[in-house]
Amino acid sequence: DAKYTHVYTDTLYSMAIVLKNFEWVGIDKNENVILKPFIFDNGPDYLQEGLFRFVENNKIGFADIDGQKIIKAKYDFATPFDNGLSEYTLGGQREYEKGGEHWSWTGGYESGYINHDGQEFIKVTDLKNNRREAWTKDKKHFLLNHKGQIIKQLK
């Protein structure tokens, strides 16, 4: 039966994102809340490269359209995925620009990149010929494809 005034997803997969008690939530077919999407642009985060951001204990993680939590919520801020990577920050705070219409994330004690597998990199090069180099915290050097997947370890 119809009972929600606002529904973000037009198809009920294993989860639907609905406005319930003035809060956006992901619910299962039994209407149990399974996650809370990150709110962006006055609504739930957009699905990009098969994942969207969710919030748990004031941290950001990533889930798929079925509500499966793919990457644990442990980041203070993370961008949507683009070419297989998301930029993340630990620590810091949201700052509003003049007029309060736009905000950005500033500060933090660690920043880097994360791929769909949850692997973290502290430095990556620009994408060139669908490849990029990346380095981990422990100084391992990798070649990544355009989806952020590790192709091979470099010396």
Side-chain angles (χ1 to χ4, degrees):
D1 294 334
K3 61 169 50 173
Y4 298 103
T5 59
H6 293 79
V7 178
Y8 183 71
T9 49
D10 60 358
T11 304
L12 177 60
Y13 298 90
S14 297
M15 174 193 71
I17 296 178
V18 300
L19 190 63
K20 183 176 183 178
N21 300 324
F22 306 104
E23 180 179 35
W24 286 105
V25 293
I27 60 171
D28 64 16
K29 293 180 180 184
N30 295 318
E31 298 185 58
N32 297 309
V33 174
I34 55 177
L35 59 72
K36 293 181 181 181
F38 177 76
I39 302 303
F40 177 78
D41 202 17
N42 296 320
D45 196 31
Y46 305 110
L47 186 70
Q48 288 193 207
E49 296 187 12
L51 299 175
F52 67 93
R53 295 171 288 181
F54 73 93
V55 178
E56 190 172 271
N57 298 320
N58 294 318
K59 301 290 184 181
I60 294 175
F62 290 88
D64 65 16
I65 193 68
D66 289 322
Q68 296 296 314
K69 296 174 183 175
I70 305 300
I71 298 172
K72 181 182 173 183
K74 67 178 202 172
Y75 303 99
D76 291 298
F77 184 73
T79 63
F81 277 92
D82 183 33
N83 290 314
L85 297 175
S86 165
E87 292 184 54
Y88 74 84
T89 303
L90 298 176
Q93 66 276 340
R94 181 186 294 202
E95 272 192 16
Y96 287 93
E97 295 176 12
K98 188 176 182 180
E101 294 177 18
H102 302 284
W103 62 269
S104 60
W105 199 263
T106 61
Y109 59 88
E110 181 183 318
S111 61
Y113 304 85
I114 183 172
N115 67 11
H116 288 251
D117 296 323
Q119 296 163 313
E120 296 176 351
F121 306 97
I122 58 166
K123 179 181 173 188
V124 298
T125 61
D126 290 336
L127 195 61
K128 185 176 179 184
N129 297 322
N130 287 324
R131 303 282 190 266
R132 73 172 83 225
E133 294 180 48
W135 291 263
T136 61
K137 293 179 210 176
D138 59 357
K139 299 182 175 48
K140 290 184 181 172
H141 185 194
F142 294 97
L143 183 64
L144 308 180
N145 65 15
H146 67 284
K147 294 181 179 180
Q149 299 164 317
I150 294 175
I151 298 172
K152 67 180 179 178
Q153 186 168 353
L154 303 171
K155 293 193 179 214

